[in-house]
Amino acid sequence: MANNNESVSSGKFDIAGFFRKYTMVIALVVVFIIFYFMTDGRLLYAQNMSNLMLQNGYVLVMACGMLLCILTGGNIDLSVGSVICLVGGIAAVMISNNGMNVYLTIIICLLIGLACGIWQGFWIGYVRIPPFITTLGGMFIFRGFGRLVLNSKTVSVQNKAFLNIFTAYIKIPGLDTDSRILSPLVIGAIAVIIIFYSKISSRASKAKKGYRQNSALADFGSAAVISVLLLWYCNLLCQYKGISVMLVWVVAICLIYNFITSRTAFGRYFYAVGGNEKATKLSGINTNKVYFFAYANMGLLAGLCGLLCLARVGSVNGSTGNSFEMDAIGSCFIGGASAYGGSGTIGGVIIGALLLGVINMGMSIMGIGDSWQYVVKGAVLLIAVIFDVVSSRKAS
């Protein structure tokens, strides 16, 4: 029998709690509206909305891995941009210069990215070298190796088989033709059904066990908003080429890491380490292994991003990946990850990445230079972290 603190909620809608929980979602909507008017509606063109996810795909993939590092205590990985350069450079040279098999190249490159992560994970997890110092060293080392592999040149890739694995658009027979694309709407409708079924089953399970839960209005209202936005986006995809394979890669990675962090015991270890590492260790959890896995995993995802970026741009040079780590870190903190570790979600990371992406795209459409884009992104990141720190102090 549940106690009073675990009982089902009374059903009252907590407005203050709603705004506190969905602060960054509201901010994203506000930024969308602002840039919609400032770009005379061009921001919401089908091509721009399709490119929004594709141009920020690497950020979302990296941010999923970066979140695990941040959860362990506000730690970050500064080397991911350099790993992207190294892996992308190796893939380009192997495919274009040496004519190697595409699938074998992809496997080798992913293993190289994983090896970079294992190298850093060992020093951080088992030798306990501070992550900032370890990954700062890795940033220089991997960037140097990347430039050596490329011989300080730009290497392009035009292999259709490789490009199609990451950049092709999906055509489903019977739904998609040269003049009509319906598959995004069908897939979106299936996703909406899954969202509502998941929400209903979750509420039924909590009610059966007597657990506290949100009001029906809050739960189904948020599900309805998400569903409407999803169908709207799918409709835009129908107007421009359909669903990209790169989008499938990004969605798959986000779903996998959302499951790991929210549904598995191992995923909860990262939150535990960030919340109180000593207590976590005393409870029998191998904290060294948690640190090691966080950075090994980050290396693997950085390797995947190297392939995604190579396929997206079509070439790689010694500067590829510069400041990419900052986009991933910014997405996590803007999306609600705590600067002290122990809190953050994949959903929040997605919101943070989209917020940065909308700012970049909106300012690019307006013709505003890179310098001001850096200023605005830096200000948004600072505001998000200040909000997190102030909120944490008030909660204490």
Side-chain angles (χ1 to χ4, degrees):
M1 192 72 180
N3 60 33
N4 292 334
N5 293 329
E6 295 175 326
S7 61
V8 179
S9 63
S10 61
K12 293 181 179 179
F13 183 63
D14 182 4
I15 297 178
F18 176 83
F19 279 99
R20 190 162 51 247
K21 184 177 181 180
Y22 297 103
T23 300
M24 296 316 301
V25 177
I26 296 170
L28 176 61
V29 173
V30 170
V31 169
F32 253 111
I33 293 173
I34 290 173
F35 277 110
Y36 173 79
F37 288 105
M38 293 181 70
T39 60
D40 297 322
R42 287 175 292 169
L43 176 67
L44 297 187
Y45 285 0
Q47 182 175 353
N48 289 334
M49 286 294 96
S50 176
N51 289 335
L52 176 64
M53 288 296 294
L54 302 184
Q55 291 172 359
N56 292 277
Y58 72 91
V59 179
L60 284 164
V61 172
M62 281 194 302
C64 287
M66 192 68 71
L67 177 64
L68 300 187
C69 298
I70 291 173
L71 288 176
T72 60
N75 301 306
I76 57 176
D77 187 341
L78 296 173
S79 69
V80 290
S82 298
V83 175
I84 287 173
C85 175
L86 173 60
V87 172
I90 291 173
V93 169
M94 291 174 73
I95 294 173
S96 296
N97 296 357
N98 300 328
M100 284 193 62
N101 178 272
V102 169
Y103 301 100
L104 178 61
T105 299
I106 291 173
I107 293 172
I108 292 173
C109 287
L110 291 176
L111 290 175
I112 290 172
L114 178 61
C116 293
I118 289 174
W119 164 262
Q120 298 189 132
F122 169 77
W123 296 111
I124 294 169
Y126 293 100
V127 185
R128 288 309 178 104
I129 306 297
F132 182 88
I133 301 300
T134 303
T135 59
L136 180 62
M139 180 176 72
F140 292 120
I141 293 170
F142 302 139
R143 177 71 62 180
F145 278 130
R147 290 181 175 178
L148 287 172
V149 168
L150 292 166
N151 197 23
S152 299
K153 298 177 181 178
T154 297
V155 180
S156 61
V157 173
Q158 298 179 346
N159 186 293
K160 292 293 183 182
F162 174 78
L163 297 178
N164 287 339
I165 292 173
F166 299 105
T167 61
Y169 285 84
I170 298 173
K171 300 289 185 182
I172 298 178
L175 291 176
D176 302 323
T177 63
D178 292 337
S179 59
R180 182 199 66 191
I181 298 175
L182 295 177
S183 57
L185 275 177
V186 173
I187 294 174
I190 294 172
V192 168
I193 293 172
I194 294 173
I195 289 171
F196 275 94
Y197 175 78
S198 175
K199 189 67 67 175
I200 292 171
S201 61
S202 175
R203 288 185 61 84
S205 176
K206 288 180 179 178
K208 184 178 180 180
K209 296 175 182 178
Y211 291 163
R212 181 185 296 275
Q213 58 181 314
N214 298 325
S215 66
L217 176 61
D219 278 347
F220 290 112
S222 62
V225 171
I226 292 172
S227 299
V228 169
L229 292 176
L230 179 60
L231 290 175
W232 167 76
Y233 184 71
C234 289
N235 180 58
L236 290 178
L237 293 181
C238 290
Q239 300 172 35
Y240 181 77
K241 295 185 178 181
I243 299 174
S244 168
V245 175
M246 187 175 292
L247 180 59
V248 175
W249 278 99
V250 173
V251 171
I253 293 294
C254 290
L255 289 176
I256 290 170
Y257 280 83
N258 181 66
F259 177 80
I260 291 173
T261 55
S262 63
R263 301 282 181 156
T264 67
F266 185 66
R268 306 311 299 177
Y269 292 168
F270 295 94
Y271 292 92
V273 170
N276 191 324
E277 183 178 351
K278 290 183 178 180
T280 303
K281 195 169 185 178
L282 290 173
S283 68
I285 296 173
N286 188 334
T287 56
N288 291 345
K289 187 180 293 186
V290 172
Y291 281 106
F292 174 81
F293 181 86
Y295 285 90
N297 169 76
M298 187 71 255
L300 177 62
L301 290 184
L304 175 59
C305 285
L307 298 173
L308 291 174
C309 290
L310 175 60
R312 173 71 177 165
V313 179
S315 64
V316 62
N317 57 50
S319 298
T320 297
N322 270 341
S323 78
F324 280 16
E325 61 275 354
M326 298 307 169
D327 289 332
I329 294 167
S331 298
C332 291
F333 286 134
I334 291 171
S338 173
Y340 305 110
S343 68
T345 63
I346 295 297
V349 164
I350 294 172
I351 296 298
L354 290 179
L355 183 59
L356 287 178
V358 171
I359 292 173
N360 286 337
M361 178 169 287
M363 297 182 77
S364 295
I365 293 173
M366 294 171 62
I368 297 175
D370 291 343
S371 300
W372 280 109
Q373 291 185 33
Y374 279 116
V375 171
V376 173
K377 287 197 294 185
V380 171
L381 174 59
L382 182 60
I383 291 170
V385 174
I386 290 173
F387 178 80
D388 170 60
V389 171
V390 173
S391 299
S392 298
R393 287 177 179 172
K394 286 183 178 180
S396 299

